[in-house]
Amino acid sequence: MSAEPMREPATELDLLDAANLRRRLRVAEGGINFASNDYLGLADSDEVKAALQEAVGRHGAGAGASRLVSGTHAAHLALEETLADFKSAEAALVFSSGYAASVGTLSGLLRKGDIAILDKLCHASLVDGARLSGATLRVFPHQNMEKLASHLAWAQGQRTAETRVIVVTESVFSMDGDTAPLAEIIRLKNASDAWLLLDEAHAIGVLGRDGRGLADALGVASKVDIQLGTLSKAIGLSGGYVAARREIIDLLINQARSFIYSTALPPALAATADYVIREIFCRPAGQQLREKLWQNIASLKSHFPNPQSAILPLILGDEAVAMEASARLQAQGLWIPAIRYPTVSRGTARLRITVSAAHEPSELAALSEALNSLAR
């Protein structure tokens, strides 16, 4: 018998086209960018570019290998000390990306027999890390504390002395822009002797003292067991990190595969991120940028009356409608992509608008008028 023909990529692409779900790379040239996560406008700031250039001159362009092979650079250690202090933790560990930090942390701390309980809207990197670990996964509807309590009660009945239970949530959710009810989550996880892993990627630089995040803003940072974050959003660079107790960080050095088997973050990037946190975030200039960001967010209150972050979703529902709206905005010089399944649930396609401290009043006025035009 002859073998059946293999599935052709073109067939899958046709199906994606038919469902308005095919993604294409587009060169972002010109226009006003309302899609970036560069919340403080630091990625293109003269100060940060100068700091990076100086750091490359001192440290070179790359790391050469993983930190367990070619050795840890002093710039990595300096950044990790700064991050640990910034996040009110004993220690921190830097990864090559935020995705690597999420996947490496969860797959490094969980194993078969453990339990991970995730908010339904957690980022794909958190879901992937939990799946790779082999742990049992439970998902609670977004922000549903009653269901979280139910899952934790179930976990209590399943666990042994060796079982590790980790609740996973974001502080600011990347596609909806809303914030997690941290006080209640902490109360529930403490009552069940579970850990909390909090992804602060979209809160760093935006919320809390010096931009330390939502946990700091709510005064509960010391009650969060593991804090994840990124260097690639408000910090304006690239990379990721985890902050936690010293023994958790030491365990990740030994068990987080995305750390062990990846070339390290370039030391020049580590040195520049360290500079951004110490010399911008924690100085008056950082406070001024955060104030400007929130002024810019407030200027759109007629469209988004109760923003909790710099992420402002305009949910349109149908994928084709979202694609058309995005194209119309792009024709007006506004870069706002349509976010569709599987990034968000089916039927909740949206325009994901992000605001930056770098946006000028005229640019925000142009966005507001374009949104009024869409509504008409």
Side-chain angles (χ1 to χ4, degrees):
M1 294 178 61
S2 60
E4 289 293 325
M6 204 183 320
R7 184 176 70 256
E8 288 295 329
T11 302
E12 293 182 77
L13 291 170
D14 288 343
L15 292 172
L16 290 172
D17 275 328
N20 292 296
L21 296 177
R22 183 170 178 174
R23 288 157 170 76
R24 291 177 171 84
L25 297 177
R26 296 183 294 171
V27 178
E29 291 182 344
I32 307 168
N33 191 332
F34 283 103
S36 171
N37 297 321
D38 179 24
Y39 299 123
L40 299 183
L42 293 177
D44 194 41
S45 80
D46 291 339
E47 182 177 359
V48 175
K49 287 189 287 188
L52 179 57
Q53 289 168 348
E54 190 275 335
V56 170
R58 279 189 292 128
H59 303 300
S66 75
R67 288 168 62 181
L68 293 175
V69 171
S70 62
T72 282
H73 198 284
H76 296 131
L77 296 179
L79 173 58
E80 286 165 352
E81 289 177 5
T82 296
L83 284 166
D85 177 70
F86 191 66
K87 298 302 295 178
S88 302
E90 289 182 0
L93 187 65
V94 173
F95 289 74
S96 57
S97 71
Y99 188 97
S102 296
V103 170
T105 298
L106 282 166
S107 64
L109 294 178
L110 293 166
R111 62 190 182 193
K112 186 176 181 180
D114 291 335
I115 299 169
I117 305 175
L118 292 82
D119 186 289
K120 180 176 173 56
L121 297 189
C122 276
H123 190 267
S125 62
L126 299 168
V127 176
D128 291 350
R131 286 176 173 168
L132 283 170
S133 72
T136 299
L137 270 62
R138 289 291 182 270
V139 176
F140 58 95
H142 183 50
Q143 311 283 43
N144 188 320
M145 295 298 98
E146 183 178 350
K147 194 62 176 179
L148 172 58
S150 174
H151 283 331
L152 283 166
W154 171 85
Q156 285 288 83
Q158 301 294 311
R159 71 191 306 175
T160 68
E162 295 295 315
T163 304
R164 186 170 288 159
V165 180
I166 301 181
V167 176
V168 182
T169 188
E170 299 180 31
S171 58
V172 172
F173 285 84
S174 60
M175 292 298 128
D176 289 70
D178 57 336
T179 58
L182 282 187
E184 180 63 6
I185 292 173
I186 289 169
R187 185 188 72 78
L188 291 172
K189 71 95 178 176
N190 284 344
S192 299
D193 193 27
W195 287 357
L196 171 61
L197 185 152
L198 178 66
D199 184 352
E200 291 259 52
H202 294 274
I204 294 300
V206 177
L207 301 173
R209 293 172 303 125
D210 301 325
R212 295 169 193 260
L214 180 65
D216 178 86
L218 298 178
V220 297
S222 63
K223 300 176 183 178
V224 178
D225 303 279
I226 305 160
Q227 296 190 60
L228 283 174
T230 177
L231 311 176
S232 59
K233 294 179 173 54
I235 292 176
L237 297 161
S238 181
Y241 68 86
V242 57
R245 300 199 312 268
R246 178 78 257 177
E247 61 265 29
I248 291 177
I249 298 301
D250 287 345
L251 186 60
L252 290 173
I253 291 171
N254 286 273
Q255 295 187 175
R257 293 170 68 86
S258 61
F259 174 82
I260 297 168
Y261 299 108
S262 287
T263 297
L265 185 77
L269 278 178
T272 309
D274 190 24
Y275 175 89
V276 169
I277 295 169
R278 289 186 297 102
E279 301 298 332
I280 299 179
F281 274 25
C282 296
R283 303 280 186 178
Q287 181 60 29
Q288 291 168 8
L289 287 172
R290 283 185 291 279
E291 289 174 358
K292 176 74 183 313
L293 169 64
W294 282 99
Q295 288 169 6
N296 286 350
I297 294 169
S299 73
L300 298 172
K301 63 182 179 181
S302 63
H303 303 283
F304 306 97
N306 297 302
Q308 298 180 48
S309 70
I311 301 167
L312 307 174
L314 183 61
I315 299 175
L316 300 175
D318 183 79
E319 283 76 13
V321 171
M323 291 285 286
E324 180 184 355
S326 176
R328 288 177 60 185
L329 291 169
Q330 188 173 359
Q332 298 175 62
L334 304 175
W335 184 270
I336 305 172
I339 305 297
R340 297 157 288 156
Y341 178 84
T343 305
V344 294
S345 300
R346 291 188 185 277
T348 66
R350 67 198 62 191
L351 300 177
R352 178 185 181 269
I353 299 165
T354 54
V355 180
S356 168
H359 285 131
E360 297 295 336
S362 60
E363 296 172 328
L364 294 160
L367 171 63
S368 182
E369 176 54 34
L371 293 177
N372 285 333
S373 177
L374 275 182
R376 290 194 293 269

